[in-house]
Amino acid sequence: MINNYIDITVRLLENILDNEADYVKEAGAKVAESIENDGVIHLFGCGHSHILTEEVFYRAGGLAAIHPILHEPLMLHEGAAASSVLERKNDYAKTFMEEEDIRPGDVMIVLSTSGRNPVPIDVAEIAREKGAFVIVITSLQYSASQKSRHVSGKRLSDTGDIVIDNGAVKGDAVLKSANFDIAFAPTSTVTGAVILQSIFAEAIEKMVNDNYTPPVFISGNVENADAHNQALVDKYNERIPLLGMNL
């Protein structure tokens, strides 16, 4: 099965390279523009999509201006099934998004593979109302196969200034067994991580070309990294309190 899974995932990544590269580059340019103008890059996802917001937060080799919106009832550790119920509630996003410090010039990246549930859609729309540029990462195939649960009938792909397709199939799982009738082995976390890291790589290169020093963390396990990283924490801690330390 390892050969099958890797072969399929590689094909999905090749399709992203062939069909989504221009959108990734455009997204990277917007991220660079935002950071160069003292903006912050916010990310949001429900359930397993939230994993990708943490993938790029406080990451060695990653940007410091990253703010994951981690609303715990929509994650998994307070009740996985309950989080799925909440994700389907229209207007629930207002209970936590109104307090988020999202400003004109910021970028909001919203991740949802199915693209059909109300909370990610509302997050994208609230962020736009606050003045953010919205980037969506979703599966167009999966989303088109299912009816929207949003009261407006919109899908997440309808809310983005830039929409990037992660290529996931309906249901996300890509493998089957002759003796088992449920598909297994999802791909969206793998492809989503590659898309996000590619966006930020494009952004960093753009900043370098603009003669702007990218705010990139160094691994804390490399000697003499602490002072460099602390300076970035100090720079962004007001906008991104999660960077701070309460020891």
Side-chain angles (χ1 to χ4, degrees), residues 109-127:
I109 301 177
V110 184
L111 303 109
S112 171
T113 295
S114 75
R116 68 183 303 213
N117 288 316
V119 168
I121 294 167
D122 286 340
V123 165
E125 296 199 325
I126 292 169

Side-chain angles (χ1 to χ4, degrees), residues 2-247:
I2 183 174
N3 289 341
N4 294 340
Y5 182 75
I6 290 177
D7 286 347
I8 291 170
T9 304
V10 167
R11 287 200 298 272
L12 290 174
L13 292 173
E14 288 173 342
N15 286 337
I16 289 168
L17 182 60
D18 290 341
N19 299 310
E20 309 300 316
D22 288 344
Y23 301 121
V24 169
K25 291 176 182 177
E26 184 182 354
K30 292 302 295 188
V31 167
E33 177 186 347
S34 177
I35 292 175
E36 288 177 12
N37 289 283
D38 297 320
V40 166
I41 314 306
H42 309 273
L43 297 99
F44 175 81
C46 296
H48 284 90
S49 291
H50 98 269
I51 295 170
L52 293 169
T53 75
E54 293 189 82
E55 155 70 16
V56 294
F57 175 61
Y58 195 59
R59 186 67 186 263
L63 290 165
I66 299 296
H67 173 227
I69 297 175
L70 302 175
H71 183 67
E72 294 192 20
L74 290 168
M75 295 159 70
L76 301 173
H77 60 280
E78 290 189 350
S83 72
S84 292
V85 173
L86 288 177
E87 184 182 3
R88 299 179 184 186
K89 293 181 67 174
N90 284 278
D91 295 325
Y92 181 79
K94 293 179 181 178
T95 66
F96 61 91
M97 280 295 290
E98 288 180 358
E99 65 186 27
E100 293 294 338
D101 181 14
I102 298 173
R103 306 178 187 179
D106 287 353
V107 171
M108 179 81 231
I109 301 177
V110 184
L111 303 109
S112 171
T113 295
S114 75
R116 68 183 303 213
N117 288 316
V119 168
I121 294 167
D122 286 340
V123 165
E125 296 199 325
I126 292 169
R128 176 175 285 105
E129 290 169 3
K130 289 173 176 265
F133 185 91
V134 178
I135 298 169
V136 162
I137 300 175
T138 189
S139 166
L140 297 180
Q141 176 188 341
Y142 191 170
S143 182
S145 73
Q146 305 295 304
K147 182 179 178 180
S148 171
R149 292 187 173 114
H150 195 270
V151 65
S152 70
K154 289 182 179 179
R155 296 176 173 86
L156 183 60
S157 58
D158 297 319
T159 69
D161 295 302
I162 298 174
V163 177
I164 301 174
D165 187 359
N166 69 15
V169 300
K170 175 182 175 181
D172 199 5
V174 294
L175 297 184
K176 294 183 179 179
S177 173
N179 299 313
F180 187 62
D181 60 1
I182 298 175
F184 53 96
T187 61
S188 60
T189 304
V190 177
T191 57
V194 170
I195 290 168
L196 282 176
Q197 294 292 3
S198 297
I199 290 172
F200 296 148
E202 291 287 344
I204 291 166
E205 180 69 6
K206 178 70 164 56
M207 284 183 261
V208 171
N209 291 338
D210 291 343
N211 295 312
Y212 182 92
T213 301
V216 175
F217 284 120
I218 300 171
S219 172
N221 296 309
V222 173
E223 290 298 324
N224 303 315
D226 289 353
H228 171 90
N229 291 343
Q230 187 60 50
L232 292 177
V233 170
D234 292 343
K235 178 177 181 178
Y236 288 105
N237 191 50
E238 181 180 352
R239 296 275 337 257
I240 311 173
L242 285 173
L243 284 172
M245 295 185 292
N246 295 312
L247 299 178

